[in-house]
Amino acid sequence: TMGNWLVNHWFSAVVLAAWLGINIFLFTYYFLFFDRDERYFYTRAILGSALAWARASAKCLNFNSMLILLPVCRNLLSFLRGTCSCCQRTLRKQLDHNLTFHKLVAYALALLTAVHTIAHLFNLERYNSSQQAMDGSLPAVLSKMHLQGSHKWLNPIHSNQTTVEYVAFTTIPGLTGVIITLALILMVTSSTEFIRRNYFEVFWYTHHLFIIYFAGLVIHGIAGLVRGQTGESIKEVHPHHCAQYLTHKDKHCNHDCCKDPEFGSIPAESWKWVLAPVLLYIFERILRVWRARQKVVVTKVVMHPARVLELQMQKKGFRMEVGQYIFINCPSISLLEWHPFTLTSAPEEDFFSIHIRAAGDWTERLIDTFQQQNLEMPRIEVDGPFGTASEDVFQYEVAMLVGAGIGVTPFASTLKSIWYKFQQGDQTLKTKKIYFYWLCRDTGAFAWFNDLLASLEQKMAESGKADFLTYRLFLTGWDTIIANNVALRFDTAVDTVTGLRHKTIFGRPMWNSEFTAVAAAHPRSVVGVFLCGPGALAKSLQKSCHQHSSLDPRKVKFYFNKENF
């Protein structure tokens, strides 16, 4: 299994190892630098090893803050996917892990922020105790040096009355540190799966605290409260020779170490790390706003059973590929909220469509708005389309498509496109066989998809390719009325639930037997497994892909792909 995992995920492992390696290198290098460098000899005399912990974590925070925006630059990812279309499949697949990497970097930021904050709390405590000390020790003498002149101070606390709270809320590093940390806590906690699924608006708005996060990060180090000895001062009074004379200074001093050391601030450098990605992200947002301003015409509105709304639209210059998604905004509901929806139309059609299920406040309001529209159609803004895993369906000889509930939408586009390719007699179609699995809780959700499957079934039969598509519908939730109805009509040619030739299966798929059957039917093929559904199902399918892939490059291989928003 480990061998199979490495075959399927070697590039992910390389990216992860590189990211971890750079973090470990930055932390170790700067920890040792601040723990040993002679410029910080006097700073360490007051702070001890907490200085190195604070500075090393700060470097890693800068590095990860540089990375955090890149995975959410959708236009950049689409561009890379386009330029990578001739690259290896493995490289293109990494772009679908963008949100996983974004979350990983966010967790690293949270951990590093905790280390940085705790280290600085220790630093403040030591600065405070050194300022109050009257014992003539080196930290005590260094803390009184602000009395000698403006360039002499090393300890930023110049008063015995100063508290940790005072520093935290009145200095630039303290206040920005508190604000950055609060923003990060809110962003991380509001992006949990539960809140994203049930209170998307909460997630959407709190995530925009990233603007405050980056503004605070750039300002954070400007005051330069942590200082070190200047290069010129080290040449004149080197700490290894002269430190002892600071605590035992004669009034009539006449040797090389008589002069007091001078200190300078560590220059703020967060802006150097984050400038390029922030500018790239600003350009990304400007591009999104410009594209969203282009007129969209809603040509058809269809209300399907189970509160599923279908919108058919047209927009000048809009070009899509199979399984792509768009972001939708309805200004009459919310000016700022954009929600992702997979396109259910095929590239061959003269319109593009989406199917929207009632799942939260915004979707409920959108469905109500379109149901109640009288004369005037509500205005819709569209951003996209953006590339995602299902674009690669036609790159595989054999494809297994798995949709759960409304997650069938990207495959509606795929199946429609196949239908058009058959109609047009497309000779370039690489795919030889498609297995389609749809898992659904209630029968109402099947209704809007039935017509497509029925027409596809007929088309395949007419062109002598009835075996090209094998589909299996799984009803995972049913009641006694449905069960009795099915039992009475068991011998009919078409299914009781859907009216299709393939019978609906009650319960969940046995993935082990499904994969075994596909592997047996296609012993030398590369099989693409595509899912739009929940995380638990993804883990199950991923496991099956690893278990049923052969290590022999000439035999069957299963590649897992998942939709990500």
Side-chain angles (χ1 to χ4, degrees):
T1 304
M2 183 52 108
N4 279 331
W5 189 90
L6 286 170
V7 166
N8 284 298
H9 296 277
W10 66 269
F11 195 81
S12 292
V14 168
V15 170
L16 187 63
W19 173 75
L20 268 174
I22 293 168
N23 272 297
I24 292 165
F25 167 76
L26 283 172
F27 194 92
T28 309
Y29 178 84
Y30 283 103
F31 187 93
L32 294 173
F33 176 80
F34 283 98
D35 204 44
R36 293 179 181 178
D37 193 89
E38 55 204 18
R39 278 172 285 180
Y40 301 101
F41 178 90
Y42 291 122
T43 320
R44 286 193 298 275
I46 299 176
L47 301 178
S49 63
L51 168 72
W53 281 99
R55 298 307 302 167
S57 56
K59 295 289 177 186
C60 292
L61 276 167
N62 284 335
F63 171 64
N64 286 287
S65 296
M66 177 184 81
L67 296 178
I68 193 81
L69 287 176
L70 298 177
V72 289
C73 288
R74 296 196 294 265
N75 289 296
L76 174 69
L77 293 176
S78 282
F79 171 74
L80 289 174
R81 178 173 272 283
T83 54
C84 270
S85 56
C86 53
C87 306
Q88 223 181 342
R89 182 185 289 128
T90 320
L91 294 175
R92 278 204 319 280
K93 269 178 64 182
Q94 300 320 304
L95 297 174
D96 300 320
H97 298 159
N98 61 322
L99 292 188
T100 306
F101 185 64
H102 177 72
K103 288 173 196 170
L104 188 66
V105 173
Y107 292 138
L109 284 174
L111 176 66
L112 291 162
T113 300
V115 172
H116 188 71
T117 306
I118 292 164
H120 271 320
L121 288 173
F122 275 104
N123 287 338
L124 280 176
E125 193 51 51
R126 283 174 183 165
Y127 274 140
N128 222 5
S129 56
S130 299
Q131 165 61 27
Q132 290 173 15
M134 305 297 288
D135 56 3
S137 63
L138 184 58
V141 171
L142 289 166
S143 297
K144 301 290 183 289
M145 290 192 73
H146 63 278
L147 302 170
Q148 310 292 324
S150 59
H151 287 292
K152 301 286 176 74
W153 69 270
L154 181 62
N155 188 335
I157 296 175
H158 300 163
S159 159
N160 287 355
Q161 280 72 51
T162 307
T163 62
V164 171
E165 292 79 12
Y166 179 83
V167 174
F169 292 102
T170 59
T171 63
I172 290 172
L175 192 58
T176 54
V178 169
I179 291 168
I180 289 170
T181 307
L182 285 174
L184 193 65
I185 289 168
L186 285 168
M187 282 190 285
V188 171
T189 52
S190 68
S191 59
T192 56
E193 185 82 10
F194 176 78
I195 289 175
R196 275 203 341 271
R197 296 287 173 214
N198 298 292
Y199 305 99
F200 186 86
E201 292 81 2
V202 174
F203 158 73
W204 178 261
Y205 288 115
T206 51
H207 237 61
H208 280 76
L209 289 170
F210 81 91
I211 298 164
I212 291 168
Y213 173 84
F214 278 98
L217 187 72
V218 169
I219 300 164
H220 186 60
I222 281 175
L225 292 195
V226 177
R227 288 159 76 89
Q229 194 174 357
T230 61
E232 287 175 17
S233 178
I234 281 185
K235 287 175 191 169
E236 293 175 353
V237 282
H238 199 286
H240 290 311
H241 310 305
C242 302
Q244 56 188 327
Y245 294 104
L246 273 177
T247 49
H248 307 94
K249 190 174 278 186
D250 298 327
K251 285 185 179 177
H252 308 291
C253 183
N254 57 6
H255 53 77
D256 291 345
C257 291
C258 293
K259 195 176 178 186
D260 285 335
E262 293 196 355
F263 304 101
S265 297
I266 301 168
E269 54 173 35
S270 292
W271 67 271
K272 294 177 188 173
W273 290 84
V274 300
L275 182 65
V278 165
L279 288 175
L280 187 69
Y281 189 77
I282 289 168
F283 175 72
E284 164 91 14
R285 292 302 285 248
I286 290 167
L287 188 61
R288 287 187 203 175
V289 169
W290 176 74
R291 293 208 306 196
R293 289 284 171 263
Q294 294 168 339
K295 193 183 177 187
V296 175
V297 179
V298 179
T299 54
K300 193 176 182 184
V301 179
V302 184
M303 197 66 217
H304 294 284
R307 294 262 298 162
V308 174
L309 172 73
E310 180 185 352
L311 295 181
Q312 293 184 9
M313 295 165 279
Q314 287 177 331
K315 181 180 176 180
K316 194 178 176 184
F318 188 93
R319 283 191 303 277
M320 65 162 285
E321 295 297 328
V322 163
Q324 287 188 313
Y325 65 94
I326 56 173
F327 274 77
I328 290 285
N329 170 264
C330 183
S332 62
I333 297 172
S334 169
L335 285 169
L336 298 175
E337 279 183 54
W338 289 82
H339 292 255
F341 294 97
T342 309
L343 290 161
T344 51
S345 49
E348 294 83 357
E349 290 174 309
D350 62 354
F351 61 88
F352 60 96
S353 66
I354 53 171
H355 284 70
I356 301 163
R357 179 174 60 98
D361 295 346
W362 189 89
T363 48
E364 288 278 5
R365 292 206 302 272
L366 185 76
I367 291 168
D368 290 341
T369 304
F370 274 97
Q371 276 185 317
Q372 292 159 13
Q373 48 102 6
N374 301 321
L375 297 169
E376 199 178 343
M377 191 77 78
R379 188 162 70 89
I380 289 287
E381 292 183 353
V382 169
D383 183 26
F386 299 105
T388 187
S390 299
E391 275 185 36
D392 295 339
V393 168
F394 301 128
Q395 302 296 317
Y396 294 90
E397 296 165 33
V398 181
M400 292 173 75
L401 315 180
V402 184
I406 197 76
V408 76
T409 47
F411 309 128
S413 176
T414 308
L415 295 173
K416 274 187 187 180
S417 190
I418 288 167
W419 180 27
Y420 282 110
K421 286 183 194 302
F422 271 122
Q423 278 186 320
Q424 293 156 12
D426 191 337
Q427 299 301 310
T428 61
L429 190 63
K430 192 176 174 182
T431 313
K432 302 285 184 282
K433 176 76 180 176
I434 283 183
Y435 295 89
F436 174 58
Y437 306 85
W438 190 13
L439 290 67
C440 228
R441 275 203 198 95
D442 60 274
T443 52
F446 284 123
W448 69 272
F449 203 62
N450 286 355
D451 293 344
L452 171 64
L453 283 177
S455 57
L456 204 57
E457 223 173 23
Q458 190 183 344
K459 201 75 211 163
M460 300 291 161
E462 284 172 9
S463 51
K465 300 255 184 168
D467 58 343
F468 175 84
L469 175 72
T470 298
Y471 63 87
R472 302 172 73 110
L473 310 181
F474 294 86
L475 195 64
T476 57
W478 68 90
D479 55 27
T480 48
I481 299 166
I482 296 171
N484 291 336
N485 202 8
V486 168
L488 286 169
R489 301 188 179 156
F490 184 73
D491 294 328
T492 54
V494 293
D495 184 63
T496 317
V497 178
T498 62
L500 296 164
R501 288 174 201 167
H502 284 57
K503 296 293 178 84
T504 299
I505 300 158
F506 292 84
R508 297 184 183 280
M510 302 289 285
W511 290 118
N512 201 32
S513 55
E514 298 290 344
F515 273 81
T516 304
V518 172
H522 311 278
R524 295 186 182 277
S525 292
V526 176
V527 182
V529 180
F530 294 83
L531 166 70
C532 189
L537 184 55
K539 283 177 186 170
S540 176
L541 288 173
Q542 208 159 10
K543 192 179 172 186
S544 296
C545 284
H546 298 156
Q547 284 174 345
H548 293 275
S549 286
S550 172
L551 282 173
D552 186 337
R554 294 164 298 177
K555 294 189 177 174
V556 70
K557 288 268 180 306
F558 290 91
Y559 285 97
F560 180 72
N561 304 263
K562 186 181 185 303
E563 292 294 315
N564 287 307
F565 295 131

